Amino acid sequence: MIKVYLLLVVAVSTWVQSTAFSFTQNFGRVSSSSRLSMNIEVNTQKKDVNVGVIGCGRIGIVHLGAISKAPGVKAIIVSNPTVSKAEAAAQQFGVPSFTSDAMEVITNPDVDAVWICSPSQFHAEQIKACAENGKAVFCEKPLATDLAATVEAINACNEAGVKLMTGLQRRFDPNFRRVKDAIEKKEVGTTVMIKLCSRDPSPPPFEYVKGGGGIFADMAVHDLDMSRFLAGEDPIDILAVGSCHIDKSIEVLDGSEKFDTANCIVRYPNGVQAMIDVCRQSSYGYDQRAEVLGTSGMIATDNVYPNTAKIYTNDFTGNADMPYDFFLSRYNEAYVKETTAFCESLVNDTPVPCTGQDGLVALIMALAADKSAEENRWVSFSEVVESVYCKSPTDCELVDFGVFPEGFQPTADAAELLTPSVDDEKKETKEKKVAKGFWERVKGA
């Protein structure tokens, strides 16, 4: 009996050594069968991720709908200041609990992750509260209404070791995604020039524009982020101009709030340029297109229509209907894909596809555009980054450019304002394990 046992131990030991390299390459994932045809039972069943949703307005409802269809994720509580909206949302999607208090969502012991779909002014404090309570966070842009608070909110999550995803839904739109794929596959060669336009069907009311942060932070931020997404690099500097053509009543407002039309040129490494135009009114529906010129071709997107029907008459040839004229209709699929992507990250513990740093850089680009339009000059993005002074990762403030506290060494790199995210640390740990395994095998050879 002892001899049989020893033979089995030797056989298993030999198998483990022969497959060690395979284990390391697959980061610890074990095959369901060995070379000895030994069947190994591995429990791959995962616990559902329980989520809460703060805000049951239009965006919150879209995310709730996507969550309700995503595998491995379950909404267990929703909140809205007008509790009747929370109750209606809970009934619509079969959510067992609802409340008027966002903190009841954040502090619920059964909640693993929180979707923040509340007004922008509440985002930073709610993100920090989620981090304090150990909850992963999905937050619609912006993460905060100013740069210092954005850095604090991101670092709160990083310090707590919880995931944070920024909601920049255009990255998940199938049209823009196809352009990104073409760039990555070199289908049009090396990128030379990027063009983006974003024109809304009609201007928002005066009350919305006032205090909204201006056309660059409120509207063009999506296009600025998309230019970075397509370029695949961090930007260098920007030149922006703005004007008012549609709603003359906003001309009394401060800064870029008085603009309803704007243009930007963004410079990227290797001489790549991105040109962006935005306008708050387009008489023909949402006009949101992308074009990338490469060294061996060009790829461009068209607008999205409710259908593909066309009319042919003796005085007209074209689409039977106008492009979508409501952002939730235009980007509904993108919002769903965005939500599903974060759900998959939670369930499978994979890196989030749109990070807190992505949200930070998008805000920096918008602020630099604002500064450029105000001062009528090229503005380096490092100028904006250098205005952030942090006593600690979660205690930051803005200082006047060039007027720094004693001993303060400003950084020009946005990434240096942030502590490592939980996904960064896991990636580094895995890379160290792979390297360690390799050198252990070399030493043992």
Side-chain angles (χ1 to χ4, degrees):
M1 181 69 180
I2 295 174
K3 290 182 179 180
V4 173
Y5 174 76
L6 290 174
L7 286 172
L8 180 60
V9 170
V10 171
V12 172
S13 176
T14 302
W15 169 73
V16 169
Q17 291 176 5
S18 68
T19 56
F21 182 75
S22 174
F23 283 11
T24 305
Q25 291 294 90
N26 289 283
F27 305 118
R29 289 174 297 197
V30 182
S31 172
S32 61
S33 62
S34 73
R35 295 181 184 178
L36 299 176
S37 299
M38 296 171 62
N39 292 326
I40 299 175
E41 295 293 331
V42 180
N43 183 12
T44 58
Q45 186 174 3
K46 298 175 182 177
K47 171 183 171 291
D48 278 354
V49 175
N50 291 331
V51 306
V53 176
I54 297 173
C56 295
R58 296 178 301 188
I59 293 295
I61 294 300
V62 171
H63 287 300
L64 262 174
I67 292 167
S68 68
K69 298 174 184 176
V73 178
K74 181 181 180 182
I76 64 169
I77 185 170
V78 296
S79 74
N80 198 82
T82 304
V83 73
S84 59
K85 286 189 174 182
E87 182 179 13
Q91 291 177 349
Q92 181 179 352
F93 296 104
V95 181
S97 298
F98 62 89
T99 177
S100 62
D101 186 355
M103 286 304 298
E104 289 187 24
V105 175
I106 295 171
T107 58
N108 187 308
D110 296 323
V111 167
D112 302 306
V114 176
W115 262 252
I116 297 177
C117 307
S118 55
S120 300
Q121 63 266 32
F122 301 115
H123 288 183
E125 291 307 313
Q126 289 173 348
I127 291 172
K128 292 177 185 178
C130 286
E132 186 178 347
N133 285 272
K135 315 298 187 187
V137 185
F138 174 97
C139 185
E140 279 291 337
K141 71 86 184 169
L143 299 178
T145 53
D146 72 66
L147 197 53
T150 301
V151 173
E152 290 177 348
I154 297 170
N155 282 335
C157 291
N158 293 349
E159 295 287 282
V162 298
K163 291 180 182 290
L164 169 64
M165 178 165 165
T166 305
L168 290 163
Q169 91 284 353
R170 290 192 195 179
R171 290 181 175 223
F172 301 87
D173 177 76
N175 296 295
F176 294 123
R177 183 69 246 185
R178 182 63 183 89
V179 176
K180 177 67 172 178
D181 290 344
I183 294 170
E184 291 178 338
K185 295 174 183 177
K186 299 291 185 181
E187 292 181 70
V188 295
T190 302
T191 299
V192 174
M193 187 181 300
I194 299 167
K195 288 185 177 181
L196 297 160
C197 79
S198 182
R199 302 160 189 166
D200 287 351
S202 59
F206 180 91
E207 293 73 19
Y208 174 90
V209 177
K210 184 179 181 180
I215 195 168
F216 300 111
D218 172 54
M219 183 179 179
V221 64
H222 286 287
D223 304 277
L224 293 165
D225 173 70
M226 181 53 57
S227 74
R228 176 174 174 258
F229 180 61
L230 296 178
E233 299 270 8
D234 280 335
I236 299 170
D237 53 11
I238 189 169
L239 180 64
V241 295
S243 53
C244 183
H245 299 272
I246 312 301
D247 181 6
K248 294 295 184 178
S249 70
I250 66 172
E251 288 185 312
V252 300
L253 298 178
D254 296 329
S256 64
E257 290 183 0
K258 63 177 173 286
F259 303 145
D260 57 29
T261 306
N263 288 271
C264 306
I265 302 176
V266 184
R267 290 195 287 211
Y268 285 91
N270 301 315
V272 174
Q273 302 171 35
M275 282 161 280
I276 298 167
D277 76 75
V278 296
C279 185
R280 291 201 183 272
Q281 179 170 291
S282 162
S283 59
Y284 48 90
Y286 265 111
D287 186 7
Q288 303 195 334
R289 293 169 284 128
E291 175 187 303
V292 173
L293 175 67
T295 53
S296 60
M298 186 267 284
I299 183 169
T301 67
D302 196 358
N303 287 314
V304 179
Y305 293 79
N307 55 66
T308 61
K310 294 183 182 296
I311 292 177
Y312 301 86
T313 67
N314 61 357
D315 60 357
F316 176 80
T317 297
N319 291 86
D321 295 295
M322 302 287 254
Y324 282 118
D325 61 358
F326 184 48
F327 77 100
L328 284 181
S329 301
R330 167 62 181 85
Y331 285 109
N332 183 72
E333 185 176 1
Y335 281 113
V336 171
K337 287 181 178 292
E338 173 186 64
T339 300
T340 302
F342 188 51
C343 290
E344 290 174 350
S345 174
L346 295 173
V347 172
N348 301 314
D349 194 20
T350 53
V352 299
C354 191
T355 65
Q357 184 175 330
D358 291 326
L360 173 64
V361 175
L363 178 59
I364 290 169
M365 294 180 75
L367 293 174
D370 211 83
K371 187 178 183 69
S372 173
E374 182 179 356
E375 300 180 5
N376 194 30
R377 65 178 179 90
W378 284 92
V379 171
S380 170
F381 295 108
S382 62
E383 290 184 35
V384 179
V385 178
E386 290 173 351
S387 69
V388 181
Y389 167 56
C390 292
K391 299 175 185 176
S392 74
T394 56
D395 183 8
C396 302
E397 61 183 89
L398 298 178
V399 296
D400 292 334
F401 182 71
V403 183
F404 303 127
E406 184 177 353
F408 172 53
Q409 295 294 325
T411 177
D413 185 355
E416 293 183 1
L417 295 172
L418 306 178
T419 56
S421 71
V422 62
D423 290 331
D424 290 335
E425 291 185 338
K426 287 178 180 178
K427 180 182 178 182
E428 183 179 353
T429 300
K430 286 182 179 180
E431 288 174 347
K432 285 181 178 178
K433 284 183 178 179
V434 172
K436 181 180 179 182
F438 170 77
W439 288 112
E440 285 179 346
R441 290 193 300 276
V442 169
K443 290 176 182 178

